Amino acid sequence: MTERSPLDIASLWRIALGEIELSVSKANFTTWFKNVTLQGRHQDSVVIVTPNIFTREWLENKYHSVILEALQRIDPSIQNVRYVISTQPIMKIQPVPHSPVVIRKHQDSLVVSGASSPEAPEEKRSVWWDEDSNLNARYTFEEFVVGANNELVYAAAQAVARRPGESYNPLFIYGGVGLGKTHILQAIGNAVLAEKQLRVKYVTSEKFTTELITAIQTRDTHTFKKRYRLVDLLIIDDVQFIIGKEKTQDEFFHTFNELHSGGKQVVISSDRPPKAIPTLEERLRSRFEGGMIADITPPDLETRIAILQVKCARRRVRVPDDVLAYLAAQVPSNIRELEGCLNRVLAHCELHKEVPTLSRTQEILQPLLTQPKRRIIHTNRIIEAVSTYYNISTDELLGESRRREVVRPRQVAMYLLRSENQFSFPTIGKYFGGRDHTTAMHSCGKIEENLETDEMLRQDLVTIRQKLYVLVGV
Ligand code: ADP
Ligand code: MG
């Protein structure tokens, strides 16, 4: 410390943190500044120690001016901030990508290589998967980027992880495909498992169903019940798949009740809110609604770039900012797809031993990004997506029924044929059992009109469209 400043380094940081807290959102503050300390001072420079590479990158790229200004307000002689990574690992488990790629700086150029190089020993470990809890250690809170689209979910998830069974029970998280539901669910599980030594079980509702069927067939429901009822935290992913499966719903209801009444935590995800699951039993719906319901929406551009940065940092690859910005701009509404594009670029670059530049990235992704949007989606795919979503048969959808549960989905299907494929009204009419073109026109108009006020309908269409546009094998 200089003579002019009476503050020791710890106090300096404590006061600076107070300033920083005022200039960033609460969620970002907790995410990025939690395990960060100020540890050294040399003349006009200070050293900030971060727990891992992505926090370092994030602070350096996003919060440098906030940090510097906060420090300068306390001690104007500070001119530089250096960011380093703590040598003590904060994360107990270092997850590893399936096909790691390392891009290192060598003199002035970047060198791309596989992860087996001796300089990246930790990359060699295999992905940690806990069989008992069924959790994948890759999904942690640390690697979950918080943006306006998921702030509420993140806060609720953290509260639940801190005090399972006490804050929000159940916690029901919903949102479209590839938006991070599984990630946040598993992050809760991993945090609880690591910090509280409680019994955690993660299961998809499909697996729950299959196991139940097997248990019934082998007359061993006792083991099944034990597996799911004797836990402290039960996480059920994609609960929409138990729609219409009476036995599974029944079993789930009893499992839920037993856990809930015993003060155990239940966390659920779905692609839509409980209200929009048409055949969900009323008793289950009201249980779900008795807790906390929070949604994840598609992230904005800034958050998408941040997610890419975290993914790159985890793989210890450096990708130029313009490439990340390009990727983030191209894939707006599905993070899995976004990651898929990043992986594809990295894989290409590794194969051809080249650096991912913007123009190479554009070339590599061009066939993927232009095709699906331009391509006409097969009509059957739209019909199937709509009937699956609303849980009615395609025959009903295309048929004559005037029941309300069928009329609305039919209108939605007609609307999608028009909006996605630009079909003419007579063509749409013909497709739906030779109906008149005015019927098609009326249906599309009705949906357009309702979309302006009906939030649920809007949500329905977001989810259906996402399903239509999921890029397979990217
Ligand atoms: P969902 O279950 O909603 O379909 P996932 O949880 O499987 O989506 O997420 C898809 C991919 O996107 C995962 O690899 C996940 O790590 C990543 N992802 C989604 N949201 C975030 C986020 N906010 N921060 C970091 N990664 C994210
Ligand atoms: Mg999922």
Side-chain angles (χ1 to χ4, degrees):
M1 298 295 289
T2 60
E3 276 172 18
R4 280 190 300 114
S5 168
L7 283 176
D8 62 68
I9 202 105
S11 313
L12 172 66
W13 186 234
R14 198 165 28 77
I15 300 167
L17 275 182
E19 295 262 330
I20 294 167
E21 197 170 2
L22 298 177
S23 14
V24 303
S25 77
K26 193 166 184 323
N28 276 332
F29 183 78
T30 334
T31 311
W32 301 114
F33 291 91
K34 203 171 47 189
N35 293 314
V36 172
T37 53
L38 192 66
Q39 286 200 348
R41 165 107 198 224
H42 183 64
Q43 293 168 348
D44 61 358
S45 300
V46 291
V47 177
I48 282 185
V49 182
T50 63
N52 49 45
I53 186 164
F54 42 90
T55 308
R56 189 193 71 187
E57 303 242 320
W58 191 253
L59 293 184
E60 212 168 1
N61 295 331
K62 285 273 295 190
Y63 289 114
H64 176 69
S65 55
V66 174
I67 294 169
L68 185 61
E69 275 165 28
L71 289 166
Q72 283 179 336
R73 244 172 282 157
I74 309 158
D75 184 344
S77 68
I78 296 173
Q79 296 301 321
N80 294 306
V81 181
R82 224 158 49 78
Y83 301 86
V84 299
I85 303 168
S86 155
T87 45
Q88 296 208 316
I90 296 279
M91 273 168 51
K92 283 183 222 107
I93 305 135
Q94 271 256 337
V96 183
H98 292 288
S99 52
V101 182
V102 178
I103 303 182
R104 262 174 288 113
K105 241 202 167 105
H106 180 64
Q107 285 159 359
D108 279 341
S109 58
L110 292 170
V111 181
V112 185
S113 67
S116 49
S117 88
E119 281 147 76
E122 58 275 69
E123 300 277 338
K124 278 199 219 154
R125 277 187 252 157
S126 60
V127 174
W128 183 82
W129 192 289
D130 184 53
E131 261 186 44
D132 207 30
S133 65
N134 210 10
L135 288 170
N136 181 344
R138 179 166 105 78
Y139 296 119
T140 58
F141 279 128
E142 283 86 352
E143 288 202 22
F144 190 79
V145 176
V146 184
N149 64 311
N150 57 23
E151 256 174 342
L152 179 64
V153 159
Y154 180 80
Q158 287 239 311
V160 163
R162 268 195 302 270
R163 291 184 308 155
E166 290 175 37
S167 22
Y168 308 113
N169 204 6
L171 171 60
F172 188 104
I173 293 172
Y174 74 92
V177 181
L179 294 184
K181 298 184 299 297
T182 297
H183 188 140
I184 197 81
L185 253 56
Q186 294 227 1
I188 299 173
N190 279 317
V192 169
L193 204 59
E195 285 157 30
K196 308 218 179 296
Q197 276 91 44
L198 294 176
R199 287 160 303 177
V200 179
K201 196 98 195 151
Y202 165 92
V203 67
T204 61
S205 72
E206 280 164 309
K207 186 154 184 267
F208 187 85
T209 307
T210 322
E211 287 185 8
L212 177 65
I213 293 169
T214 313
I216 292 169
Q217 279 165 354
T218 56
R219 295 164 200 269
D220 188 14
T221 47
H222 178 70
T223 315
F224 177 86
K225 287 196 168 98
K226 230 170 69 185
R227 191 176 310 143
Y228 292 107
R229 294 187 189 187
L230 292 179
V231 296
D232 302 295
L233 165 60
L234 179 64
I235 304 171
I236 299 257
D237 204 353
D238 286 322
V239 83
Q240 72 273 7
F241 292 122
I242 66 167
I243 292 174
K245 302 188 178 105
E246 260 174 55
K247 269 229 156 60
T248 315
Q249 287 202 37
D250 195 47
E251 179 58 31
F252 181 60
F253 178 75
H254 292 300
T255 308
F256 181 93
N257 275 352
E258 194 152 325
L259 291 172
H260 194 262
S261 60
K264 310 297 185 194
Q265 178 73 44
V266 180
V267 179
I268 300 158
S269 88
S270 164
D271 65 351
R272 61 199 99 155
K275 264 207 256 351
I277 307 182
T279 56
L280 186 68
E281 281 179 38
E282 201 43 50
R283 54 182 186 163
L284 263 182
R285 192 195 321 275
S286 69
R287 288 291 189 284
F288 291 169
E289 285 171 354
M292 159 88 148
I293 301 181
D295 71 328
I296 303 191
T297 52
D300 59 18
L301 183 71
E302 205 194 18
T303 310
R304 296 201 296 279
I305 295 176
I307 291 173
L308 287 173
Q309 283 172 340
V310 167
K311 302 291 172 194
C312 289
R314 183 169 67 81
R315 308 174 119 213
R316 292 163 194 265
V317 297
R318 248 191 189 289
V319 176
D321 286 349
D322 58 350
V323 170
L324 295 187
Y326 172 77
L327 288 171
Q330 295 303 310
V331 189
S333 56
N334 183 331
I335 300 166
R336 188 173 306 125
E337 218 173 82
L338 181 64
E339 242 185 296
C341 288
L342 173 70
N343 289 344
R344 178 168 280 235
V345 170
L346 292 177
H348 264 265
C349 290
E350 186 195 23
L351 194 64
H352 301 288
K353 302 262 174 290
E354 57 190 4
V355 173
T357 60
L358 180 59
S359 58
R360 266 312 275 144
T361 304
Q362 285 167 337
E363 271 169 38
I364 295 164
L365 295 183
Q366 203 245 348
L368 283 179
L369 295 174
T370 45
Q371 243 180 35
K373 295 267 152 32
R374 300 274 159 273
R375 195 186 58 195
I376 294 219
I377 302 172
H378 204 282
T379 314
N380 284 346
R381 207 163 149 205
I382 295 186
I383 301 299
E384 267 161 30
V386 174
S387 48
T388 309
Y389 184 82
Y390 289 106
N391 198 36
I392 57 177
S393 71
T394 50
D395 285 349
E396 276 179 301
L397 191 75
L398 296 170
E400 301 289 322
S401 166
R402 302 295 312 155
R403 280 191 302 130
R404 245 186 84 223
E405 310 86 86
V406 180
V407 170
R408 169 53 78 82
R410 189 179 294 136
Q411 289 173 341
V412 166
M414 289 187 181
Y415 172 82
L416 283 169
L417 284 179
R418 178 108 183 132
S419 67
E420 307 310 292
N421 284 359
Q422 283 83 44
F423 279 11
S424 70
F425 291 125
T427 308
I428 298 174
K430 239 183 265 151
Y431 202 86
F432 282 81
R435 285 179 166 81
D436 191 65
H437 77 276
T438 52
T439 312
M441 214 150 96
H442 170 79
S443 297
C444 294
K446 188 96 194 132
I447 295 295
E448 255 166 42
E449 188 190 316
N450 289 356
L451 272 176
E452 287 179 14
T453 51
D454 187 341
E455 178 53 27
M456 203 62 79
L457 178 64
R458 215 181 53 75
Q459 176 76 38
D460 289 352
L461 276 159
V462 168
T463 315
I464 297 170
R465 278 206 177 98
Q466 272 185 339
K467 290 198 169 140
L468 289 173
Y469 285 111
V470 170
L471 298 178
V472 185
V474 176

